[in-house]
Amino acid sequence: MNQLHFIDYVIILLVLGVTLYLGFRFSGRQRTTENFFLSKGNFPSWALGLSLLSTLISSVTFLGYPAQGFTSNWILLVQGLMVPVVLLGTIWFIVPLYRRVIGLSTYEYFERRFGVLARYYSSSSFILRQFAGMGTVLFLIAVAIRELTGIDAYIILIVVSAILVVINLKGGIQAVIWLDVFQGFMLFASGVICLGILLFSIKGGVPEAWRVASEGGRTGFGPYSTDLTQLTLFVMVVNGAFYAIQKYGTDQTVVQRYLTARTDKSAIRASLMGITLTIPIWTMFMFIGTALYVFYQQQGMPEGMKAEAAFPHFMMTQLPTGVVGFIVAALISAAICSLSADLNSMAAVGVEDYYKKIKRNRPDGEYLKAGKIMVVAAGAVSALIGALYVRAGNEGVLGVVFTLYAIFSGGIVGIFLLGFLSSRANRQGVNIGIIVCILFTAYAVLTSTPVGVHEKKVLLDLGPYNFTHHKLMLGVYSHLIVIVVGYVASLFFPKPVLDPALLYSRHRKKNVEER
């Protein structure tokens, strides 16, 4: 494989220089926890929209989607396609809810509605999902740059992790959001360039690409059955509907963006912009993988090349000098920006949901210091998880990400929907629902996940009673269990006395009055 040219390295260093500049640009303003985590009112709607876009696409989109399109059809794109279907009808109520009832942590709402167990359960699930996702992003970036440059993957992990931690410590949420804007433009431009060169390189152009891809099973969203044991369109549609609510309705990384906006309308406009832009970008990168499959069908694929390496290999061997540097810079920037947002949101949850509970009524400076320490710790743990992925040589990363997300979702959407939609659901009933959900998740994982070095087998083999449905349905079932069990159990306890601001009915009425 060709190595990067001197010009490519210059471009990469220039982009990293801009990234670090933006991080240090706001370093003098991070004197309070409010500035470090929110900086409320300092961002226009379009910047917040691009920040949401960049947070959602990241390096998983850049490398995971092409790898998926290279090895299979577009079925995993369905999860993203469900986002606008669900959110266009609900974002009008979700945004005002959080802006009116919480200070910083999304999970403050869960405590106000259902008590401390709901708060700690939902926040810990968020932290587990974030670590799994951040480790995956670092793994992808390390593998890609190793393929492009030959640099050891572990060195890449250390360098990238150090850069994103420094940016976050110096610039806080202001640096994170403006970096997201910068990275959003770069990622979109790099995708357009790569797809254009790919299609130009395929003999016969788009018609031939579509024919070869269709014959190779790289188009469509099938299988189209309702078999819950397989990855089918039905499974992805159901999972995607819950994913949309979970990401935009209960995820700290996204909700934090709502809180930084000047007004409710600004936050809603930003959300709609982010939702609108993510779909074409996800689709573009999935199609890049499809086009890669066609290209290597025509040209011949290097022996032993993994799916995650196909896109980096194409960039190194087919793109001109300078363009390669721009693409690599966009890839690194995508990782740094998305991970910076993740680190900031994890530190916000750590301070608000845990540190402040343990050490009450301390000076704000102490909380700010604790948040920065959490940024460093979270960055180090994520790098270690990425290193474990590198050591394991994980394949099919996009599928792994979705599976982990399903497992660690833990019924959070169920808690949120019960709290938001039902005035009858109460703390006791939801606590019972959470306990049943935990037991079910443990059963499903232990009876369906083979582990071992030489001979893999499930930890708990119940024979015909093992959990056999697809892992993505695990997240769906956990939400449904909390909803059904939580509501039914609530009927055995007194109806709660609630602040109307915690319920959907209050926000619906307010929206009607404003119109």
Side-chain angles (χ1 to χ4, degrees):
M1 183 185 294
N2 300 329
Q3 295 296 307
L4 291 178
H5 192 274
F6 173 75
I7 295 175
D8 296 315
Y9 282 110
V10 170
I11 292 172
I12 293 170
L13 290 174
L14 283 173
V15 172
L16 286 178
V18 171
T19 301
L20 287 169
Y21 165 76
L22 287 173
F24 282 87
R25 172 72 175 77
F26 303 100
S27 60
R29 307 179 189 180
Q30 313 308 315
R31 296 191 179 97
T32 67
T33 53
E34 196 278 339
N35 285 335
F36 189 72
F37 293 122
L38 288 180
S39 193
K40 188 175 291 186
N42 287 324
F43 308 102
S45 299
W46 64 267
L48 289 176
L50 286 175
S51 178
L52 276 171
L53 168 72
S54 300
T55 299
L56 293 170
I57 53 181
S58 76
S59 297
V60 173
T61 299
F62 203 116
L63 294 172
Y65 274 75
Q68 178 64 29
F70 182 79
T71 57
S72 183
N73 63 9
W74 293 18
I75 190 168
L76 290 186
L77 183 62
V78 174
Q79 188 185 69
L81 296 176
M82 289 301 298
V83 171
V85 174
V86 175
L87 265 296
L88 288 177
T90 59
I91 201 71
W92 316 95
F93 309 104
I94 291 175
V95 167
L97 168 74
Y98 283 117
R99 287 179 58 84
R100 290 167 193 167
V101 303
I102 68 170
L104 174 59
S105 170
T106 306
Y107 312 106
E108 180 185 339
Y109 170 77
F110 289 72
E111 181 178 11
R112 290 190 61 183
R113 186 63 182 84
F114 293 123
V116 293
L117 177 61
R119 180 173 191 166
Y120 289 130
Y121 178 70
S122 55
S123 64
S124 61
S125 293
F126 166 76
I127 291 170
L128 288 171
R129 289 197 311 273
Q130 289 299 94
F131 275 130
M134 290 167 68
T136 301
V137 171
L138 286 170
F139 163 73
L140 285 170
I141 195 74
V143 169
I145 297 177
R146 181 183 63 191
E147 292 293 327
L148 292 167
T149 65
I151 299 174
D152 184 79
Y154 298 106
I155 294 176
I156 297 166
L157 285 172
I158 294 171
V159 172
V160 172
S161 300
I163 291 174
L164 70 94
V165 166
V166 168
I167 289 171
N168 214 305
L169 291 178
K170 291 295 183 181
I173 193 67
Q174 284 184 287
V176 168
I177 288 179
W178 287 114
L179 274 172
D180 284 344
V181 172
F182 173 66
Q183 178 255 333
F185 283 115
M186 284 200 65
L187 194 64
F188 178 73
S190 62
V192 170
I193 292 170
C194 286
L195 183 58
I197 293 175
L198 251 174
L199 293 176
F200 183 78
S201 303
I202 292 173
K203 299 172 185 176
V206 175
E208 179 66 10
W210 188 259
R211 185 190 67 79
V212 174
S214 298
E215 291 179 356
R218 297 310 192 271
T219 59
F221 302 98
Y224 300 101
S225 72
T226 55
D227 183 2
L228 299 179
T229 65
Q230 303 296 321
L231 184 62
T232 65
L233 177 65
F234 178 78
V235 168
M236 287 305 298
V237 167
V238 176
N239 176 270
F242 282 98
Y243 164 80
I245 299 173
Q246 178 144 351
K247 194 67 181 176
Y248 281 83
T250 71
D251 191 285
Q252 175 69 21
T253 312
V254 174
V255 172
Q256 209 166 321
R257 299 301 192 279
Y258 304 156
L259 304 179
T260 61
R262 293 190 183 100
T263 63
D264 290 1
K265 289 182 178 179
S266 176
I268 290 171
R269 282 197 299 269
S271 301
L272 293 175
M273 181 180 177
I275 293 167
T276 303
L277 292 176
T278 51
I279 301 306
I281 291 181
W282 279 332
T283 304
M284 177 174 65
F285 278 95
M286 188 70 81
F287 189 61
I288 284 174
T290 305
L292 276 172
Y293 167 78
V294 176
F295 176 80
Y296 283 116
Q297 286 292 108
Q298 292 182 346
Q299 302 291 330
M301 188 172 68
E303 186 176 351
M305 187 174 71
K306 297 179 180 179
E308 285 81 11
F311 193 21
H313 184 271
F314 174 83
M315 288 191 284
M316 284 303 301
T317 57
Q318 303 298 322
L319 299 186
T321 298
V323 173
V324 178
F326 179 82
I327 303 297
V328 174
L331 177 59
I332 297 172
S333 178
I336 290 173
C337 292
S338 63
L339 290 171
S340 294
D342 291 338
L343 284 180
N344 191 276
S345 63
M346 285 184 69
V349 169
V351 170
E352 202 70 14
D353 290 8
Y354 295 92
Y355 194 82
K356 283 187 176 181
K357 293 287 187 179
I358 298 171
K359 303 209 171 185
R360 298 176 184 271
N361 304 317
R362 298 299 177 92
D364 185 73
E366 180 177 333
Y367 294 138
L368 177 61
K369 182 179 179 181
K372 291 185 175 183
I373 291 172
M374 290 176 188
V375 165
V376 176
V381 172
S382 299
L384 287 173
I385 295 172
L388 290 175
Y389 282 174
V390 171
R391 184 176 179 82
N394 204 1
E395 296 186 30
V397 171
L398 196 59
V400 172
V401 172
F402 288 173
T403 300
L404 291 173
Y405 202 94
I407 292 172
F408 292 141
S409 64
I412 307 304
V413 173
I415 302 173
F416 174 75
L417 291 178
L418 270 182
F420 192 43
L421 298 177
S422 171
S423 61
R424 185 64 184 83
N426 52 39
R427 174 178 56 82
Q428 299 94 327
V430 167
N431 286 348
I432 292 171
I434 290 172
I435 292 169
V436 174
C437 176
I438 292 172
L439 293 174
F440 170 77
T441 302
Y443 148 76
V445 173
L446 292 175
T447 61
S448 65
T449 308
V451 295
V453 179
H454 302 294
E455 183 182 353
K456 292 189 175 183
K457 54 184 178 180
V458 295
L459 293 175
L460 179 64
D461 192 349
L462 300 179
Y465 299 104
N466 286 350
F467 182 80
T468 57
H469 287 187
H470 194 274
K471 283 291 196 306
L472 294 188
M473 288 304 297
L474 177 54
V476 174
Y477 294 149
S478 68
H479 302 314
L480 293 176
I481 285 171
V482 170
I483 292 172
V484 175
V485 175
Y487 185 81
V488 172
S490 293
L491 299 178
F492 294 90
F493 300 94
K495 184 176 181 179
V497 178
L498 299 173
D499 178 354
L502 300 174
L503 298 169
Y504 162 76
S505 56
R506 168 66 177 271
H507 297 283
R508 181 186 61 182
K509 181 179 178 182
K510 191 171 182 63
N511 275 5
V512 170
E513 290 172 351
E514 290 176 352
R515 290 175 185 175

